[in-house]
Amino acid sequence: MSQPIITVNHLKKHFGTNAVLNDIDFEVEKGEVISIIGSSGSGKSTLLRCINLLEKPTAGVIRFHGQDIQAPGFSLSGYRSKVGMVFQTFNLFNNLTVLENCVVGQTTVSGIDRVKAEAKAMELLDSVGMAQYIAAKPRQISGGQKQRVAIARALAMEPEVLLFDEPTSALDPEMVGEVLNVMRKLARSGLTMLIVTHEMNFARDVSSRVIFMDEGVIAEDSSPRAIFSNPQNDRTRAFLNRML
Amino acid sequence: MPSSFGEWVIFFAQKYGVFFLRGAGTTLVIALIGTVVGFLIGLAVAVVRTMPIEDNSPRGRRIFYRVVRWILVAYIDIFRGTPMIVQSMVIYYGSAELWGLDMSPMVAALFIVSINTGAYMAEIARGGIISVDKGQYEAALSIGMTHGQTMRKVILPQAVRNILPSIGNEFVVNIKDTSVLNVISVTELFFMSKSAAGTYMRYFEVFFITSVIYFVLTFSVTRILQSLEKKLDGPDSYSIHGSQTVPEAVIKGEA
């Protein structure tokens, strides 16, 4: 098997005396679509945020292609541009239009010239069904539309891995579908994805692997079929009973 | 000689009209330059003060940051904590006494108003920066932007928009507060008024005119800034590009 893209070893994160993550170990292989499920407060989002260092781990090592991302001299900016993130609250740049949201990273971080960056942004916005709205400001579009733009913005950086932090939790129920459709399509394209989600059907149907987290540890890590039809851990079972 | 209040006002308006206008011009120039330069100083100070110090950055750099921050805080405290009229005296006469600097009153005025406004603007701008939603920083970082790029492209444009009303406030305050510069003989509106009034010993009439001029200045500036704000917000509507027949997302390969 080839070298994993991301390796997490003995990851711990404490907020004060509150241990949110307790000794997390896992690897992400290229092309995997991993859903991370679990109750609120189980540490799912914190785990995701530690992976691109929006949250600083208390202890543990995270490697990207074998390189320690916390080592001095490691290019965090370069790393983050290859590990994209989609947020629960979209976080589109409020001062920029839809098009500019997808252009600014390419031109400032990757140094791509404007014409190419715009062409790429247009192509991606078209693929998420937002090409008509390039002139709109974030405040002028709906939540589902914002999230689709946010996905296009992340994709514009040509990431190797895309992290999704509860991408549909802040959406009206009728808008969830349009975002999940885009994600489903991405999963099929072979993009490596880590998805923190409460959408159990999506996790079961789309992911290649499901991680169940409970109280800061990975309680179960298996194929979607195994987790959903034959959970090994009592707490996984209890959780799924509540959710399904 | 004029005998009533009205006659005196007309008398001064006619005789000293150009005088008043020149004073008002000087006042406006000092306030405008002072506010703009003060804004730039304040922005720079705020950006440095909100820079995150990484725990893993080299020790020397961390100490350097800490010293720079201490100096900036001292600057803000000193210039906000003393009256501008006193600062004018200290800087104007002090620079001459200590370093033999022969600043013209106008140069001294521009310097004093800029640096004084800068101290206030530093806190206003810092407020603007920290009021931008944290998610905006995180999104910028998550696509690989450095702190500097995040500031330039995402945070500052939003912060500046949010503090525009306060900048307008400072501008208005500066128009009025340039009057204290008469103590170092800057020929601004108050200084000119005082000279005119002193000549005829008619203070009420002259300063009535002066107050009207100050009001006209601040009122116009307020309105101009308000329309600028509206303009910066951009249009409320946007145009749809391409076909309008497909209102919802159609994902290729799905549907």
Side-chain angles (χ1 to χ4, degrees):
Chain A
M1 198 177 262
S2 64
Q3 193 187 42
I5 299 185
I6 292 174
T7 321
V8 175
N9 287 123
H10 301 299
L11 178 66
K12 287 186 184 135
K13 174 69 188 178
H14 296 189
F15 290 109
T17 54
N18 181 18
V20 181
L21 295 179
N22 246 323
D23 213 20
I24 301 278
D25 283 283
F26 77 108
E27 292 180 347
V28 180
E29 304 281 346
K30 186 171 163 45
E32 279 191 301
V33 176
I34 305 176
S35 289
I36 304 175
I37 61 173
S39 316
S40 297
S42 58
K44 310 179 300 283
S45 289
T46 307
L47 172 60
L48 215 58
R49 291 166 58 80
C50 279
I51 288 177
N52 68 359
L53 287 191
L54 286 181
E55 225 52 86
K56 207 174 137 47
T58 310
V61 182
I62 301 168
R63 291 179 198 282
F64 181 64
H65 292 297
Q67 276 187 298
D68 182 355
I69 67 168
Q70 296 180 85
F74 178 83
S75 165
L76 200 51
S77 157
Y79 166 69
R80 282 180 174 144
S81 71
K82 289 181 214 131
V83 179
M85 178 120 173
V86 174
F87 299 86
Q88 181 177 359
T89 49
F90 330 121
N91 297 346
L92 289 184
F93 302 134
N94 292 327
N95 55 321
L96 302 176
T97 62
V98 163
L99 182 68
E100 279 303 312
N101 262 278
C102 302
V103 166
V104 69
Q106 298 184 67
T107 52
T108 43
V109 178
S110 316
I112 293 168
D113 79 77
R114 234 200 124 72
V115 177
K116 272 191 196 151
E118 277 187 15
K120 168 145 213 158
M122 278 306 296
E123 184 191 312
L124 288 165
L125 286 168
D126 191 40
S127 78
V128 298
M130 285 300 291
Q132 297 175 7
Y133 299 92
I134 51 172
K137 285 282 184 72
R139 66 186 146 88
Q140 295 164 324
I141 58 179
S142 73
Q145 293 176 326
K146 281 185 204 172
Q147 197 59 298
R148 286 186 275 141
V149 173
I151 292 173
R153 174 178 69 181
L155 290 174
M157 305 307 291
E158 303 194 332
E160 291 180 44
V161 184
L162 208 45
L163 312 174
F164 292 81
D165 187 7
E166 304 197 28
T168 58
S169 300
L171 294 176
D172 289 340
E174 55 186 326
M175 293 176 182
V176 170
E178 65 188 53
V179 171
L180 291 184
N181 277 347
V182 170
M183 291 170 61
R184 195 168 286 140
K185 186 184 154 209
L186 282 177
R188 276 192 212 136
S189 76
L191 182 71
T192 311
M193 295 158 72
L194 245 75
I195 309 160
V196 169
T197 185
H198 290 292
E199 297 287 334
M200 291 304 133
N201 292 329
F202 180 81
R204 184 179 54 207
D205 301 341
V206 176
S207 34
S208 59
R209 183 174 150 199
V210 176
I211 289 176
F212 171 69
M213 284 188 67
D214 189 59
E215 297 189 349
V217 296
I218 294 180
E220 199 159 346
D221 179 351
S222 187
S223 72
R225 179 178 303 181
I227 288 225
F228 283 100
S229 54
N230 186 21
Q232 299 301 305
N233 189 306
D234 286 342
R235 284 190 289 205
T236 318
R237 206 169 298 133
F239 173 75
L240 289 175
N241 275 338
R242 282 200 308 274
M243 294 299 288
L244 293 174
Chain B
M1 274 290 161
S3 55
S4 67
F5 171 77
E7 281 175 22
W8 273 110
V9 168
I10 293 165
F11 170 79
F12 277 113
Q14 281 170 347
K15 186 155 180 175
Y16 288 95
V18 180
F19 215 58
F20 279 122
L21 285 182
R22 224 187 294 143
T26 306
T27 287
L28 208 51
V29 166
I30 297 173
L32 180 64
I33 295 178
T35 307
V36 171
V37 175
F39 167 66
L40 296 175
I41 294 173
L43 208 56
V45 170
V47 166
V48 173
R49 286 193 65 202
T50 51
M51 229 188 287
I53 302 178
E54 303 287 345
D55 294 338
N56 59 354
S57 50
R59 204 179 141 74
R61 190 182 299 169
R62 265 182 298 160
I63 293 171
F64 174 73
Y65 274 146
R66 219 154 271 154
V67 172
V68 168
R69 273 186 202 185
W70 188 88
I71 293 171
L72 293 179
V73 172
Y75 156 63
I76 293 169
D77 284 345
I78 290 169
F79 279 88
R80 286 202 312 174
T82 54
M84 193 161 78
I85 192 167
V86 175
Q87 291 165 15
S88 312
M89 300 298 262
V90 170
I91 290 173
Y92 184 62
Y93 293 108
S95 63
E97 198 133 314
L98 289 179
W99 303 303
L101 224 64
D102 187 22
M103 268 192 285
S104 75
M106 187 65 181
V107 172
L110 290 174
F111 177 76
I112 291 158
V113 176
S114 300
I115 199 124
N116 181 281
T117 308
Y120 286 92
M121 288 283 195
E123 284 301 86
I124 293 171
R126 195 170 66 90
I129 289 171
I130 59 181
S131 71
V132 174
D133 178 33
K134 201 163 157 264
Q136 300 280 310
Y137 288 88
E138 294 189 344
L141 293 180
S142 81
I143 57 171
M145 284 197 196
T146 61
H147 180 72
Q149 290 167 338
T150 304
M151 278 289 161
R152 264 204 325 279
K153 301 282 179 179
V154 179
I155 306 301
L156 290 184
Q158 296 183 49
V160 169
R161 166 63 193 89
N162 289 342
I163 63 172
L164 260 186
S166 305
I167 296 173
N169 237 348
E170 281 300 304
F171 194 4
V172 168
V173 166
N174 277 341
I175 289 175
K176 295 183 295 174
D177 282 5
T178 48
S179 56
V180 306
L181 295 166
N182 80 87
V183 297
I184 55 168
S185 310
V186 179
T187 55
E188 41 69 51
L189 183 54
F190 186 88
F191 183 89
M192 293 300 223
S193 308
K194 215 171 59 170
S195 316
T199 314
Y200 291 88
M201 300 303 279
R202 306 297 308 190
Y203 287 92
F204 176 45
E205 291 83 356
V206 168
F207 280 97
F208 175 76
I209 298 177
T210 310
S211 62
V212 170
I213 298 177
Y214 272 120
F215 181 76
V216 169
L217 288 183
T218 54
F219 185 82
S220 329
V221 162
T222 311
R223 294 305 122 124
I224 290 170
L225 283 169
Q226 272 171 5
S227 64
L228 181 72
E229 253 181 69
K230 268 216 185 96
K231 212 172 157 193
L232 278 182
D233 281 345
D236 282 336
S237 57
Y238 58 92
S239 46
I240 297 276
H241 288 246
S243 157
Q244 291 199 34
T245 53
V246 190
E248 275 167 10
V250 175
I251 308 304
K252 283 177 201 154
E254 291 285 334

